[in-house]
DNA sequence: ATGTGACTTATAGTCCGTG
DNA sequence: ACACGGACTATAAGTCACA
């Protein structure tokens, strides 16, 4: 059962999206800031991509966050997703 | 210049190793707990692997940590590595 | 108990587009 | 501005034998 895999990926995606929209950034703008393709950002936010550690670093940096800030509360969120 | 890539991967590796040894675990034992091959753990600790988000989740879980705990202070460490 | 090289299969990540 | 897909190349996953 790697339903749990999708759940945690979705939790990550919603965190990214939450932080991005809070900053008023488009996916394109975040892509630019983090040096990642816009379609890739889209995939991460939808939980269909499993970013590498370095991609996470880029994302956090594009959002002006530390990694632990970006990933904080993640397991909680993952648990709340059915 | 992706010297910085290797630096952050090494910083991650040293975090993993630090937490692992603090628990008195061998790489083999951590591998068992996190469902990852022992040689894979070795690669992560040496900074020659760039684990995916889900692999990081497995690692953190094997260490009994949350992701943000595992990744806390990472950027600081990365900066301290030349 | 760990480091390392080599290897195959899976997927990360990009680039092109469509609605 | 975003979801989603196809096709592609680069690299991660995952494992092994051996030092």
């Amino acid at each position: 059962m790697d339903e749990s895999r999708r759940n945690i990926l979705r939790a990550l995606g919603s965190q990214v999206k939450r932080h991005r929209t809070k900053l008023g950034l488009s996916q394109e703008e975040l892509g630019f800031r983090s040096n990642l393709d816009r379609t890739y950002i889209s995939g991460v936010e939808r939980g269909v991509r499993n970013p590498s550690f370095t991609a996470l670093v880029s994302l956090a940096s594009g959002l002006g966050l530390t990694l632990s800030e970006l990933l904080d509360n993640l397991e909680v969120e993952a648990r709340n997703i059915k």
Side-chain angles (χ1 to χ4, degrees), chain A residues 44-59:
Chain A
V44 171
E45 289 191 356
R46 284 177 291 131
V48 299
R49 293 284 187 159
N50 182 21
S52 65
F53 172 68
T54 52
L56 288 171
V57 171
S58 299
L59 273 170

Side-chain angles (χ1 to χ4, degrees), chain A residues 8-35:
Chain A
I8 192 97
L9 286 174
R10 281 197 211 114
L12 172 65
S14 81
Q15 288 277 87
V16 171
K17 181 167 189 172
R18 188 168 63 75
H19 283 293
R20 176 178 63 79
T21 55
K22 192 157 78 176
L23 292 171
L25 294 175
S26 69
Q27 292 179 344
E28 236 158 1
E29 287 164 330
L30 177 55
F32 181 73
R33 291 186 186 207
S34 47
N35 265 313

Side-chain angles (χ1 to χ4, degrees), chain A residues 52-78:
Chain A
S52 65
F53 172 68
T54 52
L56 288 171
V57 171
S58 299
L59 273 170
S61 146
L63 290 166
L65 299 170
T66 65
L67 258 183
S68 33
E69 282 166 347
L70 177 59
L71 302 177
D72 208 18
N73 300 322
L74 207 68
E75 2 320 273
V76 178
E77 264 205 60

